[in-house]
């Protein structure tokens, strides 16, 4: 909310600079987000009178003017200024920026020559003064303006505006100058300068105005007054300036009065043209099909949920949100009805939200306001009307207050204050703080009883009161004290540890970690050959690309790969994130997955084996041993089924890895092979056994012998490995294939696999015969699978 | 014969002492110690001596040979080391020439900050916990003292799934989830992804990450003073020992009293700079004493426990720590950004 420093100072004595005040408010009440010095940049801009004008000798569109900028009486100072505006004429009062002025636009005024003629200043256009966007010629001021007067004074821009972020729980009482002043008065220990006006004649109904409240739940209080024979006119400049400071445009004196009251004490008001109202006023729910043309000249369709102010025929205002255009006060209005009511917040909020119609009024009602403000508002409005519009109050002020708020008292022990804040505050100080805030305080044994004033709707419980004591006393006064609390157990989650270790393993292999959005669009889903119907859809997505919750990390990783390959040769990426699958009962099954891609441009394309090698390093390093591989059968269609595998450990599917299908790569605009993997973190976490055991270092020599064996093309290496292990699992320490050869001499559909077998015993140096025997056993076993040893 | 041997020795030692190249040493070795050396020649005559003389001269000859060999080795090492004295100059290389390139990996800056944060809190005895990202209405809102129609629900622009679930708007929901299963005393933090329905710009994102903290214990055992201490330790751990904190009143439905925490700007040390918009303080996150309604929502008796909870945006912390000026970079997947961390 915008708070005028000038206005505030009328309510309370402030002996601080705006910055100091902002600091005090920020540290004790609510944050002052901005301090705006009105008229900043208008220093050295004054009213001048154009005395003479002649054409510039060297430029057709420039003129040379003589301007007087010194008030009569003083020694006149005539400035010679070169001006480009065509609308400048002798006798005009204009805004002159003197040499040295630094205008809001950032322009610095200096004495300089324009086409050979010296110019001492500038005659300003509206935009140059930061007062508007108009650059069509210079700004011509009212002829009554006095020469030499400062621009700030002329435009009423000598105020300082605080932009304050009033907290939602303080909207009840602080969305007004009086509310903020009350806070300032407490903080600076000053008295508030405000006279509560009183109304002598109040009744529930009068001959002049009959009011019927049909829904007392939604309209807790309704106060109104009729003022006849008012003169509708422009507001005086002080009032206009005041409203402008609050960010509101001036309309006419009566409307401005209602707004002024709202910004003053926080009670929204409305003024109806009494002449346009048929019969009595009814506060009721709207009827099906009812419509209202509001003040913003838009028609709103109402529902039975909406509360309206109506006359005998139809709605004349959307209660607490906006008045109707038909009954609005205009230049022909003679008699008016002022309304100050209290509406229930939730209902106003729903109506405003549904109609997408927010106003200063609805903003306040939504947050609930003090029921006690209505008469005060009416009284202030009547007073101001007397001064600014004439007219006479007709009959009694009407006040219907059927749903009275209950008074709240809160009781608690003094101990509680120290127990919550961690600081001892003197009893006297506690009393002083609470009393200054408007609470009534009494003491009973060791307990304190607090009566909450009607305007502090936020204060409901003990902690609310202690908060008041704490913040006014100052949180800065509370000294830090370590908490002496221990949990029974702080054994950290193993899954988190596993995630960290795996991430570090990938980092060690040169992978980059990326974070992608949890949301995904139809294009990505379809492009990855995933099924839309497996995705949870958002009701209110930000855009089409963010319509669904992802079920796989692949799509964005492919996007990442494509984008980054524009400026690098190769990449390895991974992401650890959640995917959101269909759970039971339409629920959501969240799974943690670590997925990654590898790609390389040009000749050195990545292969399944590149990936497999790296995955094995990561998995083994993290305690997952005994991996086996099988073909991907039932899984997403984005896999290249011939070059991908499911990775198993302890009979569990722990990962899938392989090439991405070229169709998908095409869909994503990728022209190089991409290998992809996904590790199922939740599954892995259950498998980790951490059973690394030390094995004695074998000091006996290792014998290595190579074999070349011809097999059918379809023979997988895994089977060969198995056969060798079957032949011997004692002396054979390792089997590593190092070459595959295919050639005509082998015959069709044949391949020759060369591999190295390492033999070693734990307790002796092996003899040639021993090794030979084992090798023969291996050859024998391989021959059973159709293997033929090449010599 | 002994004299002969002595002469050879003296001559050898003198020549060795004069030798100044490895080549000369090698020649001297042949001359005095090799199979065809003078000494060997002389000693060959030993076979004609008596047994006693054989023994005496033999031993003497061996000692002499050892002495000569010793001197040769000593001199050789001396010459070698002499040559090495200039090696630094001779083998000088251009150290400004680039090193070999190795592919290096990078953890995401948010991960790195996350681990930093976890370490700080673990050292203070906190347990790190995680829970669902897509929440039901109860845990995201109701349990956090934001019942339906509560205006505070509007404070957080919420995404809704078609099945009625909510991609959580804050990690605070973890508080409720954890307390449903665990009674105070509690000291937990939870880090994870949260969602807000707002268009992204340099400081706003629809997907971002928070750290949530909660300590709770019997009434009277957790105070605002403790809260300040915890946040202070956290900030010192993240931004350096000299970091100061301050708290300002604020409002969040799930706490009462509520605060906002500021830390002294780590760039200008509170002097005022561009990063802190000249005020010397940087706004970091919200906190407060747990609202009793939250305890009630998870089934505890009102006023039995007191707690302190806080929430910070991890992106924001990372932006301050690394001087990043656009939050969208974190989710852009641009390796030119990521490789800087």
């Amino acid at each position: 909310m915008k708070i005028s420093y000038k206005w505030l100072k009328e309510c309370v004595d402030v002996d601080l600079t705006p910055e100091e005040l902002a600091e005090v408010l920020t540290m004790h009440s609510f944050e002052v987000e901005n301090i705006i010095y009105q008229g900043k940049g208008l220093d050295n801009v004054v009213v001048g009178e154009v005395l003479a004008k002649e054409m510039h000798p060297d430029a057709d569109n420039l003129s040379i003017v003589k301007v007087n900028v010194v008030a009569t009486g003083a020694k006149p100072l005539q400035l010679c200024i070169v001006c480009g505006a065509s609308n400048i004429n002798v006798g005009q009062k204009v805004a002159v920026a003197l040499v040295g002025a630094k205008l809001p636009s950032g322009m610095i005024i200096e004495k300089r020559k324009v086409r050979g003629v010296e110019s001492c200043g500038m005659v300003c256009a509206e935009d140059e003064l930061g007062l508007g966007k108009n650059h069509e010629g210079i700004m011509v001021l009212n002829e009554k303006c006095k020469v030499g007067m400062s621009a700030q004074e002329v435009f009423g821009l000598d105020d300082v505006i605080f932009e304050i972020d009033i907290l939602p729980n303080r909207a009840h009482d602080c969305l007004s100058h009086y509310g903020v002043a009350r806070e300032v008065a407490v903080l600076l220990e000053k008295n508030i300068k405000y006279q509560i006006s009183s109304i002598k004649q109040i009744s529930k109904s009068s001959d002049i105005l009959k009011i019927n409240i049909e829904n007392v739940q939604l309209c807790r209080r309704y106060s109104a007054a009729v003022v006849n024979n008012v003169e509708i006119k422009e507001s005086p400049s002080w009032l206009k300036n005041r409203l402008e400071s609050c960010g509101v445009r001036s309309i006419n004196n009566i409307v401005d009065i209602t707004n002024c009251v709202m910004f003053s004490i926080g009670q929204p008001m409305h003024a109806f043209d009494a002449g346009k109202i048929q019969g009595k006023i009814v506060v009721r729910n709207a009827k099906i099909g009812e419509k209202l043309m509001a003040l913003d000249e838009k028609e709103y369709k109402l529902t039975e949920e909406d509360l309206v102010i109506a006359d005998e025929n139809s709605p004349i205002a959307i209660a607490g949100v906006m008045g109707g255009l038909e009954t609005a006060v205009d230049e022909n209005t003679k008699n008016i009805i002022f309304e100050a009511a209290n509406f229930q917040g939730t209902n106003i909020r729903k109506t405003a939200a549904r109609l997408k119609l927010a106003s200063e009024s609805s903003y306040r009602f939504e947050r609930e306001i003090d029921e006690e403000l209505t008469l005060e508002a009416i009284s202030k409005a009547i007073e101001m009307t007397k001064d600014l519009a004439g007219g006479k109050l007709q009959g009694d002020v009407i006040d219907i207050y059927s749903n009275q708020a209950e008074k709240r008292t809160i009781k608690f022990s003094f101990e509680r204050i120290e127990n919550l804040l961690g600081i001892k505050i003197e009893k006297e100080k506690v009393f002083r703080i609470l009393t200054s805030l408007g609470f009534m305080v009494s003491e009973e044994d060791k307990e304190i009883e607090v009566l909450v004033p009607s305007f502090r709707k936020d204060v409901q419980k003990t902690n609310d009161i202690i908060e008041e004591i704490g913040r006014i006393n100052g949180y800065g006064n509370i000294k830090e004290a370590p908490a002496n609390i221990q949990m029974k157990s702080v054994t950290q989650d193993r899954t988190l540890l596993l995630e960290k270790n795996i991430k570090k393993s990938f980092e060690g292999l040169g992978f980059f970690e990326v974070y992608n959005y949890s949301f995904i669009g139809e294009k990505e889903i379809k492009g990855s050959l995933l099924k839309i119907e497996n995705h949870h859809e958002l009701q209110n997505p930000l855009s089409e690309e963010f319509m669904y919750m992802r079920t796989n990390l692949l799509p964005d990783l492919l996007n990442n790969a494509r984008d980054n390959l524009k400026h690098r040769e190769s990449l390895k990426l991974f992401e650890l994130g959640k995917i959101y699958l269909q759970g039971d009962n339409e629920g959501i099954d969240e799974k943690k997955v670590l997925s990654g891609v590898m790609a390389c441009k040009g000749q050195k394309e990545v292969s399944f084996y590149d990936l497999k090698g790296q995955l094995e390093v990561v998995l083994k390093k993290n305690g997952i041993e005994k991996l086996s591989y099988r073909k991907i059968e039932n899984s997403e269609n984005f896999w290249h089924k011939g070059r991908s595998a499911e990775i198993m450990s302890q009979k569990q599917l722990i990962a899938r890895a392989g090439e991405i299908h070229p169709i998908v790569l095409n869909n994503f605009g990728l022209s190089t092979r991409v290998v992809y993997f996904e590790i199922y973190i939740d599954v892995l976490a259950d498998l980790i056994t951490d059973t690394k055991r030390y094995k004695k270092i074998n000091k006996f020599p290792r014998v290595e012998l190579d074999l070349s064996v011809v097999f059918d093309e379809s023979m997988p290496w895994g089977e060969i490995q198995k056969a060798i292990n079957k032949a011997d699992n004692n002396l054979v320490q390792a089997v590593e294939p190092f070459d595959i050869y295919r050639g005509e001499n082998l015959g069709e559909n044949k391949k020759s696999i060369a591999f190295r077998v390492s033999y070693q015993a734990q307790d002796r140096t092996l003899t040639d015969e021993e090794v030979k025997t084992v090798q023969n056993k291996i050859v024998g076993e391989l021959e059973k699978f159709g293997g033929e040893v090449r010599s | 014969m002994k004299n002969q041997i002595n002469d050879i020795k003296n001559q050898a030692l003198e020549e060795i002492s004069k030798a100044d190249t490895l080549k000369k040493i090698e020649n001297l070795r042949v001359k005095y110690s090799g199979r065809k050396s003078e000494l060997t020649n002389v000693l060959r005559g030993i076979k004609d001596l008596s047994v006693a003389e054989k023994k005496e001269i033999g031993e003497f000859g061996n000692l002499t040979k050892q002495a000569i060999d010793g001197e040769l080795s000593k001199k050789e090492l001396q010459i070698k080391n002499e040559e090495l004295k200039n090696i630094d100059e001779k083998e000088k290389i251009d150290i400004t020439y680039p090193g070999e390139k190795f592919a290096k990996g990078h953890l995401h800056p948010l991960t790195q900050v996350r681990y930093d944060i976890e370490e700080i809190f673990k050292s203070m005895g906190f347990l790190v916990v995680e829970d669902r990202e897509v929440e039901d209405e109860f845990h995201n809102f109701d349990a956090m003292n934001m019942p339906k129609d509560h205006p505070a629900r509007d404070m957080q622009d919420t995404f809704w799934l078609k099945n009625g679930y909510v991609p959580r708007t804050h990690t605070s929901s973890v508080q409720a989830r954890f307390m449903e299963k665990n009674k105070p005393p509690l000291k937990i933090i939870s880090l994870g992804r949260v969602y807000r329905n707002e268009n992204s710009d340099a400081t706003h994102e629809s997907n971002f990450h928070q750290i949530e903290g909660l300590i709770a214990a019997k009434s009277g055992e957790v105070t605002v003073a403790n809260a300040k201490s915890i946040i202070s330790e956290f900030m010192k751990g993240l931004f350096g020992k000299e970091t100061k904190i301050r708290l300002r009143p604020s409002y969040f439905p799930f706490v009462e009293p509520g605060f906002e925490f500021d830390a002294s700007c780590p760039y200008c040390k509170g002097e005022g700079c561009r990063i802190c918009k000249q005020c010397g303080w940087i706004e970091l996150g919200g906190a407060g004493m747990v609202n009793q309604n939250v305890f009630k929502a998870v089934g505890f008796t009102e006023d039995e426990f007191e707690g302190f909870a806080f929430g910070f945006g991890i992106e924001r912390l990372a932006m301050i720590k690394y001087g990043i000026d656009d939050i969208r970079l974190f989710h852009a997947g641009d390796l030119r950004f990521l490789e800087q961390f």
Side-chain angles (χ1 to χ4, degrees), chain B residues 81-260:
Chain B
N81 284 350
E82 191 63 35
E83 280 177 5
L84 286 177
K85 268 186 185 164
N86 293 324
I87 195 79
D88 316 57
E89 193 49 40
K90 265 197 257 166
E91 297 194 344
K92 199 172 74 175
I93 54 163
D94 177 3
I95 52 164
T96 62
Y97 196 78
E100 292 297 323
K101 298 277 184 297
F102 291 94
K104 59 178 190 295
H106 299 267
L107 290 184
H108 196 280
L110 291 178
T111 299
Q112 295 186 39
V113 171
R114 177 191 170 125
Y115 290 158
D116 288 349
I117 294 171
E118 284 182 2
E119 282 314 309
I120 296 166
F121 281 101
K122 280 180 185 173
S123 74
M124 289 195 272
F126 278 75
L127 184 69
V128 185
V129 301
E130 278 196 343
D131 222 303
R132 328 177 38 108
E133 255 177 36
V134 181
E135 267 300 354
D136 52 41
E137 222 177 317
F138 175 78
H139 288 92
N140 193 77
F141 290 122
D142 300 57
M144 288 296 113
N145 195 29
M146 284 188 263
K148 245 199 181 90
D149 297 332
H150 192 291
R153 281 203 185 187
D154 293 351
M155 284 166 69
Q156 305 177 339
D157 298 309
T158 310
F159 285 113
W160 293 91
L161 297 191
K162 287 213 160 155
N163 59 6
Y165 283 86
V166 193
R168 64 181 178 188
T169 57
H170 47 205
T171 40
S172 306
S173 51
V174 179
Q175 286 183 34
R177 290 265 173 202
F178 194 77
M179 286 196 288
E180 282 171 343
K181 289 172 245 147
N182 302 275
K183 263 197 157 187
L186 302 174
K187 264 170 107 171
I188 58 164
I189 57 161
S190 186
L191 299 96
R193 185 171 281 200
V194 300
Y195 304 84
R196 295 283 168 91
N197 191 348
E198 52 189 13
N199 286 307
S200 61
D201 60 29
T203 54
H204 296 88
E205 259 288 17
S206 58
N207 289 209
F208 61 103
H209 299 77
Q210 278 187 341
I211 166 187
E212 182 79 15
L214 170 71
I215 72 169
K218 283 225 172 64
S219 230
E221 289 177 0
V222 190
T223 67
V224 175
N226 301 148
K228 281 183 83 170
S229 166
I230 288 167
I231 298 299
S232 177
E233 287 300 313
F234 173 32
M235 287 302 134
K236 283 176 182 165
L238 205 59
F239 295 125
K241 263 187 180 165
E242 65 283 4
T243 310
K244 290 183 183 62
I245 59 138
R246 66 173 193 182
L247 54 90
R248 293 180 281 110
S250 190
Y251 171 76
F252 308 97
F254 32 96
V255 288
E256 184 69 38
F259 327 115
E260 243 166 282

Side-chain angles (χ1 to χ4, degrees), chain A residues 169-170 172-173 408 455-460 464 468:
Chain A
N169 64 330
R170 295 304 301 280
H172 310 300
D173 69 313
R408 238 182 351 270
F455 56 83
R456 287 309 298 270
K457 291 187 178 293
D458 59 309
V459 177
Q460 301 277 348
D464 298 321
E468 294 302 295

Side-chain angles (χ1 to χ4, degrees), chain A residues 47-51 66-72 76-79 147-148:
Chain A
V47 177
E49 184 176 6
V50 182
L51 301 177
K66 286 210 161 58
V67 184
N68 177 26
V69 291
V70 173
T72 42
L77 177 63
Q78 284 188 19
L79 297 177
V147 171

Side-chain angles (χ1 to χ4, degrees), chain A residues 515-517 560 563-564, chain B residues 108 205 328-334:
Chain A
Y515 279 36
N516 287 312
Y517 296 101
N560 297 149
D563 295 345
N564 283 295
Chain B
H108 196 280
E205 259 288 17
R328 289 167 294 196
L329 287 165
F330 291 112
H331 284 76
D334 190 330

